[in-house]
Amino acid sequence: MNIKEIGTGVCIILFAGGIGWSIQTLIEVDKRTAIMAEKVSENHKMIKPLWEDFIRRNTNGHVERLDEQTNFKVRFKWK
């Protein structure tokens, strides 16, 4: 075996190892993403009734109409 064949073999092994590492990393990230999506879904199920109850019990009327124009003005006092 000459040096060119050894160099080619090393390059092929490194390239295959890089591809294997990339695939393993992508699978791991996909698993973490699936777990996070499940946690977010569970949190949404838990928070939704609380938020709906808050909106229903709100008596001042500011939460139900967040997109309406109001007469409230913000006044700053600069020193």
Side-chain angles (χ1 to χ4, degrees), residues 20-58:
W21 175 80
S22 298
I23 291 171
Q24 182 180 2
T25 303
L26 288 174
I27 290 171
E28 185 178 329
V29 168
D30 187 45
K31 287 178 184 177
R32 280 195 236 153
T33 304
I35 291 170
M36 189 64 66
E38 184 65 28
K39 288 180 180 179
V40 168
S41 176
E42 292 297 319
N43 283 343
H44 182 264
K45 289 177 187 175
M46 182 175 57
I47 291 173
K48 185 177 178 184
L50 297 172
W51 180 248
E52 289 172 347
D53 182 52
F54 171 75
I55 290 174
R56 189 173 41 254
R57 287 188 294 138
N58 188 11

